[in-house]
Amino acid sequence: KNEVEQSPQNLTAQEGEFITINCSYSVGISALHWLQQHPGGGIVSLFMLSSGKKKHGRLIATINIQEKHSSLHITASHPRDSAVYICAVARGDTDKLIFGTGTRLQVFP
Amino acid sequence: EPEVTQTPSHQVTQMGQEVILHCVPISNHLYFYWYRQILGQKVEFLVSFYNNEISEKSEIFDDQFSVERPDGSNFTLKIRSTKLEDSAMYFCASSPPGTSTDTQYFGPGTRLTVL
C-alpha cells in the first residue's frame, strides 16, 4: 500500500468550477507539500503545511493531522490551472519526501 | 527571482557510460536534493545533502550513484555505469536555511535517456 494516496487520479472541470484534490497518508509527518507539475515536466512548490490552512491567491490548502488528510482547493478554476498536482509528505524522522502519484487536472474553457 | 538551474536539459547516453547531471541551487540555500521520475510514474527521492555530506539516501541510490558539491555553487549527480532503467527525468531541489523540511525549490529537470 502506498504511504501517500491521492484522489481522484484524474479530474476534469469546466472553467470557473471549484476543485478539490485529496491526499491521505499513513505515516507520521513533520510537513506536507503540495506541488504542481506542468505539462513540460517542471515542478513548482505550492504550499508547505504542518498544520491548519494556507491560502495563496485562488489556491487553498488544508491539513488535518489527526485524520492524516490534506486537501487542495482551487477556486474559480481556469484552463491555466491544468497540470498534475502532487502531494508529498516529509516523515518526521527523515529528510526524504514521499510522493503521491499525482492528480491530473484538466480545466476546459 | 532566484531559481534552481539544471544542465543539460536532455542527455542521451549509451548503456554503461558515465553521466554527470549538473545543478546550481539557489545561492543561500543549505539543503540539496536529487529526485527522479520515470516516465508515467511518481517522483522518487534519491538523496539529500547537507553540510557537505549525504544526510539521507534511498534504496535506489546504490553504489552507481554519487553526489558532489565541488565548488560551493554546483551540485552534481553522477551515475557511473548507466542502465536502461536509469532513463528518467532527474530533478534537483534546494531549500533555504531553517529545516530540511522547508519549502523546496525545484529545477526544471534533466531528461536522461539511456540507449
Side-chain angles (χ1 to χ4, degrees):
Chain A
K1 186 178 187 302
N2 290 327
E3 292 167 294
V4 180
E5 298 272 3
Q6 287 186 237
S7 63
Q9 283 190 301
N10 294 284
L11 186 54
T12 57
Q14 288 294 123
E15 184 173 355
E17 284 185 13
F18 181 82
I19 303 291
T20 296
I21 299 170
N22 297 298
C23 175
S24 296
Y25 52 92
S26 57
V27 295
I29 68 168
S30 54
L32 182 143
H33 298 250
W34 280 104
L35 309 163
Q36 181 191 54
Q37 186 167 30
H38 297 293
I43 296 174
V44 174
S45 181
L46 299 174
F47 294 105
M48 192 276 291
L49 293 163
S50 52
S51 65
K53 178 177 171 177
K54 285 190 177 178
K55 184 176 190 292
H56 182 69
R58 295 180 294 106
L59 302 179
I60 303 166
T62 64
I63 188 168
N64 184 318
I65 297 291
Q66 285 74 32
E67 294 186 6
K68 295 188 171 166
H69 181 269
S70 175
S71 293
L72 176 69
H73 305 285
I74 306 174
T75 61
S77 59
H78 191 275
R80 66 174 174 266
D81 297 326
S82 298
V84 176
Y85 291 84
I86 301 171
C87 170
V89 301
R91 282 177 49 172
D93 57 345
T94 77
D95 287 345
K96 66 184 272 188
L97 286 183
I98 304 168
F99 291 77
T101 52
T103 294
R104 183 174 300 276
L105 171 66
Q106 287 185 291
V107 182
F108 294 99
Chain B
E1 188 175 327
E3 57 185 21
V4 176
T5 59
Q6 288 186 244
T7 54
S9 56
H10 191 190
Q11 173 89 48
V12 182
T13 190
Q14 294 289 328
M15 192 168 58
Q17 295 296 304
E18 174 184 287
V19 293
I20 299 176
L21 309 184
H22 297 267
C23 170
V24 179
I26 295 172
S27 63
N28 66 334
H29 285 191
L30 295 182
Y31 298 89
F32 312 109
Y33 312 85
W34 282 102
Y35 298 94
R36 81 170 185 192
Q37 185 177 32
I38 294 169
L39 187 64
Q41 297 187 22
K42 63 182 179 180
V43 179
E44 300 171 288
F45 169 85
L46 289 177
V47 66
S48 58
F49 192 88
Y50 171 71
N51 203 23
N52 285 318
E53 60 182 26
I54 290 173
S55 48
E56 188 161 359
K57 57 185 181 179
S58 72
E59 55 278 4
I60 302 167
F61 195 89
D62 62 21
D63 292 344
Q64 293 300 312
F65 291 87
S66 62
V67 289
E68 211 174 38
R69 190 157 157 79
D71 57 12
S73 61
N74 289 284
F75 180 50
T76 60
L77 175 69
K78 183 195 287 187
I79 310 174
R80 286 192 187 81
S81 178
T82 49
K83 307 186 193 72
L84 295 175
E85 55 265 35
D86 293 326
S87 295
M89 184 77 102
Y90 288 81
F91 293 101
C92 170
S94 67
S95 58
T99 71
S100 60
T101 56
D102 211 328
T103 299
Q104 294 188 21
Y105 295 80
F106 286 77
T110 292
R111 182 170 299 284
L112 176 65
T113 302
V114 182
L115 302 175

